[in-house]
């Protein structure tokens, strides 16, 4: 995707493209819910057949780069406007010395991939990787445990619980697209993630309180009653999915692609796969740990500790973005000061 599109709209394009993750989660939940009551084996067989079929089609038709099908590379198009080529993460400011604390990565030529250690030296890779570890921990805990949580707290049957849990993934589509759009317009992906993480913490607290105490879903014969509490649960599930999945989507797509083409690499196109693997791989570790912890903490039927764990994870994700957010705020204030000086200079020139 990074090879096919320029940088100016990368956040939005990647956010829309990454909606395939949430769409796959929705389809998987619906398939599992449809078969779980009478033939649970098909919940694994049918998705497996779909994966194999789509994978074969990609093998036949997917072109990694425009040049593979005779098209001009996006980064080489002479007619691209300056905004299209503007990087997602602005590195041109007097604060650049803070952006590269490990020095410049040495890349001999464009065809040589960088090492794992060199990839870690790229400014922002470590911070975004650790942030994704905790963000993905929260997201995948919801993905795996939300149907069971809805079933155990409301009495809704397994199929209806699976359907209700897809609202969280619909929120993920909204969150990924929104995060990419905001990041494109501001050029501050770390700050975008930080704001969504800050908002997600109280939202998780409200969601847990609403579902279990304040206004729980009621069911009749396993079917949810469509009343005011049902509507509030739907809305809050949607908002939670938006805020939880927004940072996760932005980091795994646009931020990974941008860091893989960081100026410190001096044009190494091979670095993109390595950087993406490090960031997403670190996040996948969190995705594996989160559901495991949720199972251990909810063993007694008390879900409060699970949500406390998720809120703490979001706090840690926010902490690892602190340095990058500070740099982005510093760049923003520096641009404002420069613009103010330029306006004062123009005003004095006009009066003189």
């Amino acid at each position: 995707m990074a090879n096919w599109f320029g940088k100016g709209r990368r956040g939005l394009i990647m956010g829309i493209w990454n909606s395939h993750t949430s769409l796959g989660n929705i389809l998987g939940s619906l398939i599992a819910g449809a078969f779980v009551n009478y033939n649970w084996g098909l919940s694994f067989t049918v998705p497996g057949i779909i994966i194999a079929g789509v994978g074969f089609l990609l093998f036949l038709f997917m072109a990694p780069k425009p040049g593979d099908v005779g098209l001009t590379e996006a980064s080489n198009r002479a007619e691209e406007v300056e905004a299209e080529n503007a990087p997602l993460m602005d590195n041109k400011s007097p604060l650049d010395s803070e952006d590269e604390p490990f020095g410049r990565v040495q890349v001999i030529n464009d065809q040589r991939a960088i090492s794992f250690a060199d990839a870690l030296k790229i400014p922002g890779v470590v911070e975004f990787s650790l942030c994704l570890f905790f963000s993905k921990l929260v997201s995948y805990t919801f993905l795996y445990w939300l149907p069971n949580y809805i079933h155990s707290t409301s009495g809704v049957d397994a199929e209806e619980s699976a359907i209700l849990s897809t609202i969280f993934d619909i929120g993920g589509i909204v969150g990924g697209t929104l995060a990419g759009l905001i990041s494109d317009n501001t050029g501050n992906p770390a700050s975008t993630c930080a704001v969504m993480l800050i908002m997600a913490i109280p939202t998780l607290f409200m969601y847990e309180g609403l579902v279990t105490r304040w206004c729980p879903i009621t069911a009749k014969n396993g079917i949810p009653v469509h009343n005011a509490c049902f509507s509030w649960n739907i809305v809050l599930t949607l908002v939670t999915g938006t805020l939880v999945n927004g940072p996760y989507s932005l980091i795994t797509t646009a931020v990974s692609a941008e860091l893989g083409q960081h100026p410190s690499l001096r044009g190494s196109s091979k670095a993109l796969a390595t950087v993406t693997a490090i960031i997403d791989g670190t996040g996948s570790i969190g995705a594996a740990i989160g559901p495991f912890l949720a199972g251990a903490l909810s063993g007694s039927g008390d879900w409060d500790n699970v949500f406390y764990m998720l809120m703490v994870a979001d706090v840690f994700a926010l902490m690892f973005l602190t340095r990058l957010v500070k740099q982005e705020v510093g760049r923003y204030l520096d641009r404002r000061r420069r613009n103010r000086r330029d306006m004062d200079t123009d005003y004095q020139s006009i009066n003189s």
Side-chain angles (χ1 to χ4, degrees), residues 7-26:
K7 296 181 180 180
R9 297 189 303 268
R10 177 170 289 171
L12 176 61
I13 291 171
M14 290 291 192
I16 296 173
W17 171 74
N18 195 60
S19 65
H20 72 271
T21 303
S22 296
L23 290 173
N25 293 339
I26 293 171

Side-chain angles (χ1 to χ4, degrees), residues 210 214-218 225-236:
L210 182 75
W214 305 336
C215 194
I217 294 176
T218 55
V225 177
H226 291 195
N227 52 19
C229 288
F230 177 83
S231 300
W232 276 111
N233 274 268
I234 294 295
V235 171
L236 201 51

Side-chain angles (χ1 to χ4, degrees), residues 3-4 65-79:
N3 292 331
W4 279 86
K65 296 183 295 184
D68 295 337
V69 291
L71 299 176
T72 305
E73 298 288 341
S75 59
N76 295 328
R77 289 180 298 184
E79 67 272 14

Side-chain angles (χ1 to χ4, degrees), residues 32 35 101 148 211 279:
F35 296 116
N148 184 45
V211 172
I279 294 177

Side-chain angles (χ1 to χ4, degrees), residues 144-153 161 165 298 303:
Y144 290 121
W145 283 95
L146 187 57
N148 184 45
Y149 177 65
I150 294 173
H151 174 69
S152 63
T153 56
S161 297
S165 69
S298 64
W303 289 90

Side-chain angles (χ1 to χ4, degrees), residues 8 23 66 80 88 105 149 153 172 197 226 233 247 265 271 294 309-310 336 341 344 351:
L23 290 173
E80 279 191 326
L88 180 69
V105 179
Y149 177 65
T153 56
L197 288 170
H226 291 195
N233 274 268
L265 294 173
M309 180 266 289
L310 298 179
R336 289 198 61 178
R341 285 197 301 267
D344 292 341
N351 288 337

Side-chain angles (χ1 to χ4, degrees), residues 242-262:
T242 299
L243 297 175
V244 167
N245 288 319
Y248 152 52
S249 173
L250 183 63
I251 294 173
T252 55
T253 54
V255 170
S256 296
E258 184 67 24
L259 290 175
Q261 297 174 347
H262 193 273

